[in-house]
Amino acid sequence: MSFGEPKLISAAPAFRKSLLLWFFKNHRPLPWRKKTSAYRTVVSELMSQQTQIATVIPYFEKWVKKWPDFAALAQAKESEVLAAWAGLGYYSRARHLWQLARQVVEQKNPPRTAKEWEKFKGVGPYTAAAIASISFADPVAVVDGNVVRVLARLTASQKQWLDRSASVKDFTPLANALIDTRKPGDFNQAMMELGALVCRKTSPDCVHCPVARWCQAKALGIAERLPKFAAKTSRKVVVHRALVLQSEKLLIKRYPLSARRLAGMAEIPLLSDLAINPPSSPSLSKRRTIGSVTYEEQIYHIKADVDIRRHSAKNPELEWVKLNQLTDAALTGPHLRWLRDWLNPDGLTKRDKPL
Ligand code: SF4
């Protein structure tokens, strides 16, 4: 326990009051807050895992328009669900959400506690606490990166963590000691909102912070230095991909449903899927980072000759998709975006030129 914790716990009633007053006046009008339901909370929480709110909003709005409740989602086809998720990344979340809807509709009463929600695949302690506290007033604290930052600063904790999950584990007891048991959902959202809007990673707005009077880091002038995490080691990986077109169709690779990553999703195939070596220089180079790995994706325009057609016919993971049906092919977001950028709006004229 850091030296700031007992002081903060003893001030808990006044702390909650200040925080909630600020939250009610200042929270962002996010679509899942304007109209609430357990279903909308579940969808927003699963979409928001490892994804920025600004990215989630248009996906959420389209999703709940198409599938407004658990029953509607349970009726959807898996391929439709994956296509609607394309671009959000971490596609196992889409499959978990769809499976969760199918399980919930089979139950007489939806689960109410965080412990019950945690039994669903893809719902970890954080998501379960968010769903149960916001939708069913279960008094369980939600601890995410924003909450860790707020608590580390309030208590001026100088500890250095190896990763986020270790810090979450350390701060969960304190967050549970502070929670407002009458309004746990609002309290949790208020803590996260404070971290997102006021107690920001850089330039925290301590002057306008509703809980500044209890903040040890502010008093010591060290807010921006907390919390402390060990430096991450990053890795670079180069992948070579083949862009193969034939008669208005593009060759794609679809991962089997048993695959550990990207099950059921499609990507631009690797050169190795077609047993070819990288030609002298790629037509296009794209970079993206997933976790601590930066992928440099080198894409080569490959002619659909006899060898390529023979390989594609032999490999069950390769399939041809019409250019005007790319959106429904459950391609991963970056690959769909790169292909759209490359194709003209009419999807026709650029394809025979080098990228
Ligand atoms: Fe964060 Fe500053 Fe508020 Fe402390 S006073 S909780 S550092 S915004």
Side-chain angles (χ1 to χ4, degrees), residues 150 153-154 194 198-200 204-206 209 211-212 215 217-218 223:
V150 171
R153 289 173 176 174
L154 284 167
L194 186 73
V198 179
C199 194
R200 299 176 296 250
D205 186 6
C206 302
C209 177
V211 295
C215 185
K218 178 181 176 275

Short mmCIF file of all heavy atoms in Angstrom, two decimals, residues 150 153-154 194 198-200 204-206 209 211-212 215 217-218 223, ligand 1:
data_model
loop_
_atom_site.label_atom_id
_atom_site.label_comp_id
_atom_site.label_asym_id
_atom_site.label_seq_id
_atom_site.Cartn_x
_atom_site.Cartn_y
_atom_site.Cartn_z
N VAL A 150 -5.23 7.38 -12.79
CA VAL A 150 -5.82 8.26 -11.77
C VAL A 150 -5.40 7.82 -10.37
O VAL A 150 -4.95 8.64 -9.55
CB VAL A 150 -7.38 8.26 -11.90
CG1 VAL A 150 -8.01 8.99 -10.73
CG2 VAL A 150 -7.81 8.89 -13.22
N ARG A 153 -1.73 8.38 -9.46
CA ARG A 153 -1.43 9.78 -9.18
C ARG A 153 -2.05 10.23 -7.86
O ARG A 153 -1.40 10.93 -7.08
CB ARG A 153 -1.91 10.65 -10.35
CG ARG A 153 -1.04 10.43 -11.59
CD ARG A 153 -1.58 11.14 -12.80
NE ARG A 153 -0.69 10.99 -13.94
CZ ARG A 153 -0.97 11.41 -15.17
NH1 ARG A 153 -2.12 12.02 -15.41
NH2 ARG A 153 -0.10 11.26 -16.15
N LEU A 154 -3.27 9.81 -7.63
CA LEU A 154 -3.90 10.20 -6.35
C LEU A 154 -3.08 9.73 -5.17
O LEU A 154 -2.98 10.41 -4.15
CB LEU A 154 -5.31 9.60 -6.27
CG LEU A 154 -6.40 10.29 -7.12
CD1 LEU A 154 -7.65 9.41 -7.20
CD2 LEU A 154 -6.75 11.66 -6.56
N LEU A 194 -12.72 10.54 -16.00
CA LEU A 194 -11.74 11.46 -15.42
C LEU A 194 -10.35 11.20 -16.02
O LEU A 194 -9.62 12.13 -16.38
CB LEU A 194 -11.68 11.29 -13.90
CG LEU A 194 -10.80 12.30 -13.16
CD1 LEU A 194 -11.43 13.68 -13.13
CD2 LEU A 194 -10.50 11.84 -11.73
N VAL A 198 -9.50 14.45 -18.05
CA VAL A 198 -8.81 15.40 -17.16
C VAL A 198 -7.43 14.88 -16.74
O VAL A 198 -6.41 15.54 -16.96
CB VAL A 198 -9.67 15.67 -15.91
CG1 VAL A 198 -8.95 16.64 -14.96
CG2 VAL A 198 -11.02 16.25 -16.30
N CYS A 199 -7.40 13.69 -16.19
CA CYS A 199 -6.12 13.14 -15.71
C CYS A 199 -5.45 12.41 -16.86
O CYS A 199 -5.21 11.20 -16.83
CB CYS A 199 -6.38 12.19 -14.53
SG CYS A 199 -4.87 11.79 -13.63
N ARG A 200 -5.15 13.18 -17.92
CA ARG A 200 -4.62 12.59 -19.16
C ARG A 200 -3.17 12.16 -18.95
O ARG A 200 -2.49 12.64 -18.06
CB ARG A 200 -4.68 13.65 -20.27
CG ARG A 200 -6.10 14.12 -20.58
CD ARG A 200 -6.06 15.22 -21.60
NE ARG A 200 -5.37 16.40 -21.10
CZ ARG A 200 -5.96 17.56 -20.81
NH1 ARG A 200 -7.26 17.69 -20.96
NH2 ARG A 200 -5.26 18.58 -20.37
N PRO A 204 -1.94 16.54 -17.60
CA PRO A 204 -3.17 16.42 -16.81
C PRO A 204 -3.67 17.81 -16.41
O PRO A 204 -2.87 18.69 -16.08
CB PRO A 204 -2.73 15.60 -15.59
CG PRO A 204 -1.24 15.74 -15.53
CD PRO A 204 -0.77 15.94 -16.94
N ASP A 205 -5.00 17.96 -16.46
CA ASP A 205 -5.59 19.28 -16.19
C ASP A 205 -5.93 19.38 -14.69
O ASP A 205 -7.09 19.44 -14.30
CB ASP A 205 -6.86 19.42 -17.06
CG ASP A 205 -7.47 20.80 -16.95
OD1 ASP A 205 -6.86 21.68 -16.30
OD2 ASP A 205 -8.56 21.00 -17.51
N CYS A 206 -4.89 19.44 -13.87
CA CYS A 206 -5.07 19.42 -12.41
C CYS A 206 -5.88 20.62 -11.92
O CYS A 206 -6.58 20.53 -10.90
CB CYS A 206 -3.73 19.36 -11.70
SG CYS A 206 -2.75 17.92 -12.19
N CYS A 209 -9.47 19.66 -12.03
CA CYS A 209 -9.75 18.29 -11.57
C CYS A 209 -10.65 18.31 -10.33
O CYS A 209 -10.34 18.97 -9.34
CB CYS A 209 -8.43 17.58 -11.26
SG CYS A 209 -8.71 15.93 -10.61
N VAL A 211 -11.09 16.10 -8.15
CA VAL A 211 -10.57 15.39 -6.98
C VAL A 211 -9.15 15.84 -6.62
O VAL A 211 -8.43 15.15 -5.89
CB VAL A 211 -10.64 13.85 -7.19
CG1 VAL A 211 -12.08 13.38 -7.30
CG2 VAL A 211 -9.84 13.41 -8.41
N ALA A 212 -8.77 17.01 -7.12
CA ALA A 212 -7.39 17.50 -6.93
C ALA A 212 -7.01 17.62 -5.45
O ALA A 212 -5.86 17.42 -5.09
CB ALA A 212 -7.23 18.84 -7.62
N CYS A 215 -5.18 14.69 -4.20
CA CYS A 215 -4.15 14.13 -5.08
C CYS A 215 -2.74 14.38 -4.54
O CYS A 215 -2.26 15.52 -4.50
CB CYS A 215 -4.29 14.72 -6.48
SG CYS A 215 -3.14 13.94 -7.63
N ALA A 217 0.10 13.23 -5.97
CA ALA A 217 1.05 13.52 -7.06
C ALA A 217 1.01 15.00 -7.42
O ALA A 217 2.05 15.61 -7.70
CB ALA A 217 0.73 12.67 -8.28
N LYS A 218 -0.18 15.57 -7.39
CA LYS A 218 -0.29 17.02 -7.68
C LYS A 218 0.46 17.80 -6.60
O LYS A 218 1.23 18.71 -6.90
CB LYS A 218 -1.77 17.44 -7.72
CG LYS A 218 -1.94 18.92 -7.96
CD LYS A 218 -3.40 19.31 -7.96
CE LYS A 218 -3.56 20.81 -8.12
NZ LYS A 218 -3.47 21.53 -6.85
N ALA A 223 2.83 14.57 -11.07
CA ALA A 223 1.72 13.87 -11.74
C ALA A 223 2.12 13.28 -13.08
O ALA A 223 1.84 12.11 -13.36
CB ALA A 223 0.55 14.85 -11.91
FE1 SF4 B 1 -4.86 13.63 -12.08
FE2 SF4 B 1 -4.11 16.12 -11.58
FE3 SF4 B 1 -6.49 15.24 -10.78
FE4 SF4 B 1 -4.28 14.38 -9.62
S1 SF4 B 1 -5.05 16.45 -9.61
S2 SF4 B 1 -6.02 13.12 -10.22
S3 SF4 B 1 -2.88 14.28 -11.35
S4 SF4 B 1 -5.78 15.49 -12.89
#
